[in-house]
Amino acid sequence: MKYICRLTVCLIFAFTVFTSGQNNEVKIFKIKVFNDVNKNFKLDKEEFGIEGVKVSNQYTIVKTDKNGYCELPKTGNGIIYVIKPADYQTPLNSFNIPIFYCSPYSSGSQFILPQGKNGDELYFPLYVVKADDKFDALFLGDPQSRNLEEVGYMRDDFVKNQLNNNYKFALMLGDISYDNKELYKPTNEILSKMNIPLYFVPGNHDMDYSAESDELSMESFRQNYGPEYYSFEYGNVHYIILDDIVWRGFIGDKVKKKDYVGGVSKNILEWLKKDLELTDGNKLVVISMHIPINSVGGDYDANKVLNKDDFFEVLKSRQDIVLVAGHTHTQEHDYYNKQDGWNGNKPLHQIICSTVCGSWWSGTKDYRGIPHGTQMDGVPRGFNVFSFSGSNYTQKYYPVSGKPNYQLRISSPNGVIESSALDTSFVTVNVFNGNKNTVVKAIIDDSIELQLKNELTNDPVIAKMIKDNPTLYKNWMRAETTSHIWQLNIPNNLSVGVHKIEASAADENGNVYNDYVIFEIK
């Protein structure tokens, strides 16, 4: 349930207390987490504290005692927040963004404010909910609108189709806008219509480029969405949101260029280690960040986590972990093993999720005036739904537009093929959510069966789109190498005439998807 009434009281500067002419700075915050039964944001006489709730200042983590009390030191400029337990829910603001934090060192409006004579008391409301072990959650990458017109594309194409879905929450994987922080509010207003809690990961386009240091680069994000790294729980799943972008300022003498790399800072790694140590070992851990560990399509410093070995070292104590990322504007599955520096008992699975804006709203427009935005890996703009059951999960990709079962495309052959070109022609199938466990077959004319092979290559459909419409794409856009293409040579003994191909893709969960093409040989 959301709290419509918003508190707009400015914070007390630095929360200093002046007594007897001396400046006595608050060094400890006294915190109470309570069951806000009547949902009025106040601790009333009949309401009680909640024991065992974890509270963090982004440096350390403590648990509340039997009365719901704990204390945290004033440290750096960390945001103090509650790690939401599975059987409680935080209030929501008018944008359906969870109210779970206090930013004591930030100017501006917020819901939870320090109280007490010395400004050293914090009260965090929670309310009881049923802790479902089975539920769906919506994960999506990079809305990344540059202007209100593109925010409108998201409204008319993505959000309107999600209004009646039964997701427990939605998680945005960064790049909420394309450098334009003024678009946060209209974006939030539109996303809020899905009427579910909205959690946010910071992206590189959410940074403040005027910041003098990496530590100060997410202030706009913090003012709108809260801590840039935090955690919460639903069911038997522990969710961790990480800031894995390191801001390094501008480089270049004549032309200034934004300089950032992927990485997890020492402070965040130390916090992450504490967070995992205090998390039930039977829970599935889902770590969401913007930049992936690395990706097939681009091996450069702004596209991968440079200190992945340090990151993996912190994670090695856990077995049930899945990594979720955005940033690359592709749909991709990666599996890390010992040769990658991962020393867990089983491969570490990373899923790079499809983006709402696709190829940054590029390409020809449909009848509504919305660009198709096919991604550089040939995947239609889309989103991912994770279905959780206890500490297990399954995951599906869905295109933003079109039928949910549109999961693959026969990218070639198409149209007419000269018989003399058969030796160099391929059956090429793009399985949008394909991974190492996907099995892809093709049947020509209901009689010739082909077992296609997974190849690292690009999708000819998006390559042709860019070639044929150069003015609709940026000059740096190109068909990216991807891991979800399956190919095989077309048999060179096919007769002249019309032929049919049926392609099928079977995933590890027993789902089978199909596509069909008619082509001619002359």
Side-chain angles (χ1 to χ4, degrees), residues 235-483:
N236 202 39
V237 187
H238 185 74
Y239 299 90
I240 298 173
I241 277 65
L242 289 185
D243 170 13
D244 69 339
I245 305 147
V246 180
W247 172 239
R248 303 200 300 193
F250 287 88
I251 59 173
D253 296 327
K254 295 182 179 179
V255 178
K256 296 293 184 181
K257 182 180 178 182
K258 298 186 289 285
D259 185 28
Y260 68 90
V261 297
V264 185
S265 73
K266 181 179 178 180
N267 285 341
I268 297 178
L269 287 175
E270 290 175 353
W271 167 87
L272 177 60
K273 183 178 180 180
K274 295 183 180 74
D275 184 84
L276 292 174
E277 288 172 349
L278 291 173
T279 298
D280 184 345
N282 294 316
K283 287 185 179 289
L284 171 67
V285 175
V286 177
I287 300 179
S288 299
M289 48 202 185
H290 184 63
I291 297 178
I293 298 299
N294 57 31
S295 68
V296 172
D299 184 15
Y300 50 93
D301 290 354
N303 217 42
K304 62 183 179 181
V305 174
L306 295 183
N307 61 334
K308 72 174 178 64
D309 291 341
D310 297 330
F311 183 47
F312 284 173
E313 180 67 21
V314 174
L315 302 184
K316 71 177 184 180
S317 62
R318 308 290 301 205
Q319 295 306 312
D320 294 324
I321 299 178
V322 58
L323 306 180
V324 185
H327 187 58
T328 61
H329 295 250
T330 59
Q331 177 75 21
E332 181 176 322
H333 291 259
D334 301 286
Y335 300 85
Y336 299 104
N337 296 286
K338 287 186 178 181
Q339 63 266 29
D340 307 302
W342 172 248
N343 292 312
N345 291 336
K346 58 183 178 180
L348 178 60
H349 188 189
Q350 172 183 269
I351 303 171
I352 302 176
C353 292
S354 180
T355 58
V356 173
C357 74
S359 56
W360 303 267
W361 303 111
S362 300
T364 55
K365 296 183 177 181
D366 63 16
Y367 70 95
R368 301 166 299 174
I370 299 176
H372 65 75
T374 301
Q375 296 184 151
M376 298 295 99
D377 59 348
V379 174
R381 290 186 296 108
F383 57 93
N384 288 255
V385 175
F386 284 69
S387 297
F388 297 97
S389 178
S391 59
N392 299 310
Y393 74 95
T394 58
Q395 168 269 338
K396 285 187 178 181
Y397 153 87
Y398 292 93
V400 169
S401 300
K403 297 180 179 179
N405 282 342
Y406 182 44
Q407 295 289 319
L408 72 158
R409 178 181 58 239
I410 300 174
S411 300
S412 68
N414 279 296
V416 177
I417 298 176
E418 297 294 331
S419 57
S420 59
L422 282 177
D423 285 337
T424 57
S425 298
F426 291 90
V427 177
T428 301
V429 179
N430 190 339
V431 184
F432 306 142
N433 195 33
N435 60 35
K436 68 175 186 177
N437 300 309
T438 306
V439 177
V440 183
K441 298 179 180 179
I443 299 178
I444 300 178
D445 298 332
D446 300 322
S447 59
I448 304 172
E449 184 171 316
L450 307 176
Q451 190 77 44
L452 275 62
K453 297 179 180 179
N454 188 210
E455 304 284 356
L456 286 178
T457 186
N458 58 34
D459 183 279
V461 170
I462 185 62
K464 188 174 188 302
M465 286 179 178
I466 296 171
K467 181 180 178 181
D468 293 348
N469 302 278
T471 60
L472 300 180
Y473 295 88
K474 301 294 185 183
N475 58 14
W476 48 265
M477 293 183 182
R478 65 186 186 280
E480 294 280 6
T481 298
T482 179
S483 58

Side-chain angles (χ1 to χ4, degrees), residues 96-125:
N96 279 319
I97 298 172
I99 302 170
F100 66 104
Y101 65 91
C102 173
S103 182
Y105 319 111
S106 173
S107 61
S109 302
Q110 56 183 324
F111 290 90
I112 296 175
L113 295 169
Q115 300 180 37
K117 181 179 178 181
N118 297 325
D120 59 356
E121 299 174 12
L122 296 175
Y123 295 85
F124 288 97

Side-chain angles (χ1 to χ4, degrees), residues 20 60 113-114 129 142 153 262 319-320 341 348 382-383 403 440 477 491 499 501 517 521:
S20 302
T60 191
L113 295 169
V129 294
D142 305 57
Y153 295 158
Q319 295 306 312
D320 294 324
L348 178 60
F383 57 93
K403 297 180 179 179
V440 183
M477 293 183 182
H499 298 272
I501 293 181
V517 157
I521 298 176

Side-chain angles (χ1 to χ4, degrees), residues 145-163:
S145 302
R146 285 168 285 203
N147 48 53
L148 286 173
E149 181 181 23
E150 293 184 349
V151 174
Y153 295 158
M154 180 191 69
R155 174 196 63 220
D156 298 337
D157 193 36
F158 170 70
V159 174
K160 80 161 194 172
N161 293 325
Q162 305 304 319
L163 298 182

Side-chain angles (χ1 to χ4, degrees), residues 199-215:
Y199 294 91
F200 293 83
V201 175
N204 55 287
H205 287 286
D206 299 313
M207 291 190 299
D208 296 319
Y209 301 132
S210 60
E212 296 180 357
S213 66
D214 179 58
E215 290 75 17

